[in-house]
């Protein structure tokens, strides 16, 4: 319920699509900003 797109973001380092609850990018390991 609700659109999954609301919970998506992109890694600033490698542009991998991540979720807003991820604390770091699974691809490159950079720390993601907290929402």
């Amino acid at each position: 319920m609700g659109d999954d797109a609301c919970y998506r973001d992109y890694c600033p380092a490698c542009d991998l699509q991540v979720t807003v609850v991820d604390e770091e990018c699974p691809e490159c390991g950079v720390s993601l900003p907290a929402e």
Side-chain angles (χ1 to χ4, degrees), residues 11 13-16 25-30:
C11 173
C14 70
D15 290 330
L16 179 77
C25 177
E27 181 69 26
C28 67
V30 73

Side-chain angles (χ1 to χ4, degrees), residues 21-34:
V21 296
D22 289 334
E23 293 182 6
E24 68 178 31
C25 177
E27 181 69 26
C28 67
V30 73
S31 292
L32 301 172

Side-chain angles (χ1 to χ4, degrees), residues 6-20:
C6 296
Y7 303 102
R8 299 285 177 193
D9 203 357
Y10 289 91
C11 173
C14 70
D15 290 330
L16 179 77
Q17 190 176 45
V18 295
T19 64
V20 297

